[in-house]
């Protein structure tokens, strides 16, 4: 599996970067279309995106390097090289959403309205980004038998053949799960006008899948014996449940609000 798509003047352009950039561009296009469902101003959304994305990438790398610092402490310069992978989505989300929250607070805009619009785009970008992991031959699971891997397309079999051994393509499971969430969120965005339902559904649904799939991976970022992605996913599930319970309670109290 060649992680390099092509070279320009001796500089390698990797599939990892291409897929992340493609996910971002598709996300921006889709968010423009989705703005009308929340009457959100696209220019403000674009400003939020253009500020949040670079900070999110920095956060994704910083988060990864912190937990893998032993691999970088003797070569700090390598910590700035993201072409070979090493972006932690949870770190990216924390920094990007934090930036968006601060921006909307300063501009006196509704964070949750823009978060609802952006949520389908975010999960679609994540789904495409997992294929960057495929080309880098990372984010996979344990060694599996040929009897197991033979049920996948040939290109998956070849990509997951690393050093003569076949590995469980957990990147594929997460990508497929993320695409399913994208479809669900696009429907919910149109069916429900209640602020926060789309965004918190994104947090909850992604967290459920990530918690399960993370348990299969061999390259998890660890805090002692705890897989950090599972810990954060569990927190995301709890936040989702709390939001849904409170939302349901408000529906019971206000009655007509449930019909919106």
């Amino acid at each position: 599996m060649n992680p390099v798509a092509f070279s320009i003047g001796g500089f390698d352009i990797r599939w990892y970067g291409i897929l992340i950039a493609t996910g971002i561009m598709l996300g921006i296009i889709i968010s423009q279309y989705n703005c009308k469902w929340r009457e959100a101003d696209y220019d403000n959304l674009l400003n939020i995106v253009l500020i949040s994305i670079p900070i999110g990438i920095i956060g994704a790398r910083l988060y990864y390097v912190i937990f893998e610092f032993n691999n970088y402490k003797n070569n700090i310069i390598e910590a700035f090289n993201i072409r070979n992978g090493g972006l932690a989505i949870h770190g990216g989300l924390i920094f990007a959403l934090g930036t968006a929250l601060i921006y909307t607070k300063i501009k006196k805009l509704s964070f949750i309205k823009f978060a609802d619009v952006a949520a389908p785009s975010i999960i679609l970008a994540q789904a495409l980004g997992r294929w960057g992991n495929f080309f880098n031959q990372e984010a996979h699971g344990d060694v599996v038998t040929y009897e197991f891997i033979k049920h996948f397309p040939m290109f998956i079999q070849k990509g997951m053949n690393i050093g003569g051994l076949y590995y469980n393509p957990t990147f594929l499971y997460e990508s497929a799960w993320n695409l399913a969430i994208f479809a669900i969120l696009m429907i919910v965005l149109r069916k429900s006008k209640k602020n926060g339902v789309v965004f918190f559904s994104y947090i909850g649904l992604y967290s459920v899948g990530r918690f399960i799939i993370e348990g299969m991976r061999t390259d998890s970022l660890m805090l002692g014996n705890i897989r950090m992605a599972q810990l954060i996913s569990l927190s995301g599930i709890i936040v989702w449940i709390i939001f849904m319970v409170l939302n349901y309670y408000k529906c019971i109290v206000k009655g007509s609000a449930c019909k919106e």
Side-chain angles (χ1 to χ4, degrees):
M1 181 58 61
N2 187 359
V4 178
F6 56 90
S7 298
I8 300 178
F11 184 80
D12 293 337
I13 306 297
R14 293 176 174 260
W15 285 111
Y16 187 75
I18 291 174
L19 287 162
I20 290 176
T22 301
I24 291 172
M25 294 305 299
L26 280 177
I28 291 174
I29 293 170
I30 291 170
S31 64
Q32 182 180 19
Y33 174 72
N34 284 339
C35 274
K36 65 180 182 180
W37 296 100
R38 283 293 185 276
E39 297 181 352
D41 180 68
Y42 175 68
D43 289 337
N44 275 318
L45 177 64
L46 189 59
N47 288 337
I48 294 170
V49 169
L50 293 178
I51 294 172
S52 298
I53 285 177
I55 294 178
I57 292 174
I58 292 171
R61 183 58 172 176
L62 179 62
Y63 185 98
Y64 180 86
V65 170
I66 287 173
F67 285 99
E68 294 288 318
F69 187 70
N70 285 337
N71 295 329
Y72 298 99
K73 63 182 181 181
N74 295 322
N75 187 8
I76 296 298
I77 296 299
E78 187 61 23
F80 296 93
N81 180 15
I82 64 173
R83 295 192 303 146
N84 295 322
L87 295 177
I89 185 61
H90 281 131
L93 288 173
I94 291 169
F95 274 70
L97 292 175
T99 301
L101 183 60
I102 293 171
Y103 179 89
T104 52
K105 190 74 172 178
I106 293 173
K107 296 293 184 177
K108 294 180 171 56
L109 301 171
S110 172
F111 167 79
I112 201 64
K113 178 186 288 187
F114 288 104
D116 279 341
V117 170
S121 298
I122 295 172
I123 198 66
L124 178 62
Q126 289 177 234
L128 288 177
R130 280 303 175 207
W131 286 93
N133 297 135
F134 170 65
F135 282 98
N136 282 348
Q137 295 186 315
E138 60 188 6
H140 55 69
D142 289 320
V143 173
V144 295
T145 64
Y146 178 72
E147 289 301 311
F148 178 86
I149 203 71
K150 73 178 184 181
H151 299 291
F152 294 87
M154 185 56 68
F155 76 97
I156 297 291
Q157 295 181 34
K158 291 181 178 179
M160 289 293 95
N161 186 334
I162 306 171
L165 298 173
Y166 292 107
Y167 288 83
N168 198 359
T170 50
F171 81 91
L172 178 61
Y173 308 153
E174 187 171 331
S175 181
W177 177 247
N178 290 349
L179 285 175
I181 296 173
F182 168 72
I184 292 171
L185 295 185
M186 291 291 282
I187 294 171
V188 174
L189 187 69
R190 285 151 181 73
K191 297 295 184 181
S192 174
K193 298 299 182 182
K194 295 185 70 63
N195 288 334
V197 172
V198 178
F199 177 64
F200 283 99
S201 294
Y202 155 67
I203 291 176
L205 291 172
Y206 173 67
S207 296
V208 168
R210 182 62 187 270
F211 184 88
I212 296 170
I213 296 168
E214 190 67 24
M216 306 178 193
R217 287 178 53 171
T218 58
D219 59 349
S220 298
L221 300 178
M222 306 295 292
L223 181 63
N225 295 322
I226 301 173
R227 296 174 187 258
M228 276 303 300
Q230 287 189 317
L231 181 61
I232 294 177
S233 294
L234 184 59
S235 301
I237 294 169
I238 292 172
V239 168
W240 179 41
I241 292 173
I242 291 173
F243 171 82
M244 297 304 288
V245 169
L246 291 177
N247 190 52
Y248 179 76
Y249 175 75
K250 289 180 181 178
C251 282
I252 296 298
V253 172
K254 296 182 179 180
S256 62
C258 298
K259 299 178 182 179
E260 295 181 0

